[in-house]
Amino acid sequence: MHKSKLFNLLRGLKPEEIHWLQKFLKSPFYNTNDLPIQLFEYIRKYYPDLNSPKLDKEVTCAKLFPKEKFNIQKLRKVMHQLATLTEDF
């Protein structure tokens, strides 16, 4: 995840832009899916470094989908959705 498009986009944002991105994601006009918001809020804990071992695919997937076993495709889909919303921002 550390070298993903999403992380590259987030690293390029300033701290005040991260705050506005969060508001953008929570706006029902731009986003109606809750999973990208959950992923963003989990990643935001480790911003601006974004190199924590807690951001590995397995750990992140377990946080987003606690009752399911590891599913990389589902995580990639949510990451793609968040990356697309970040680009739109």
Side-chain angles (χ1 to χ4, degrees):
M1 280 183 57
H2 300 289
K3 296 182 182 180
S4 68
K5 178 181 180 178
L6 172 62
F7 277 44
N8 287 334
L9 289 169
L10 293 175
R11 283 187 187 103
L13 296 176
K14 298 175 186 171
E16 60 269 9
E17 292 173 322
I18 291 290
H19 170 74
W20 287 108
L21 175 59
Q22 183 177 25
K23 288 185 175 281
F24 175 84
L25 293 173
K26 290 184 177 183
S27 168
F29 183 76
Y30 296 105
N31 180 29
T32 57
N33 189 348
D34 193 43
L35 286 173
I37 297 169
Q38 290 177 19
L39 177 59
F40 175 77
E41 289 177 351
Y42 179 72
I43 293 172
R44 187 174 185 209
K45 295 176 191 175
Y46 306 100
Y47 179 84
D49 186 27
L50 300 179
N51 289 323
S52 171
K54 293 185 178 182
L55 291 174
D56 288 336
K57 294 174 188 171
E58 292 83 7
V59 177
T60 304
C61 197
K63 290 289 185 180
L64 281 180
F65 315 111
K67 296 180 180 179
E68 300 176 25
K69 66 180 198 173
F70 180 66
N71 184 344
I72 188 66
Q73 293 295 31
K74 198 169 185 180
L75 178 61
R76 283 183 181 163
K77 182 178 178 182
V78 176
M79 287 176 63
H80 176 73
Q81 291 169 343
L82 181 53
T84 301
L85 286 165
T86 303
E87 287 176 328
D88 290 346
F89 170 74

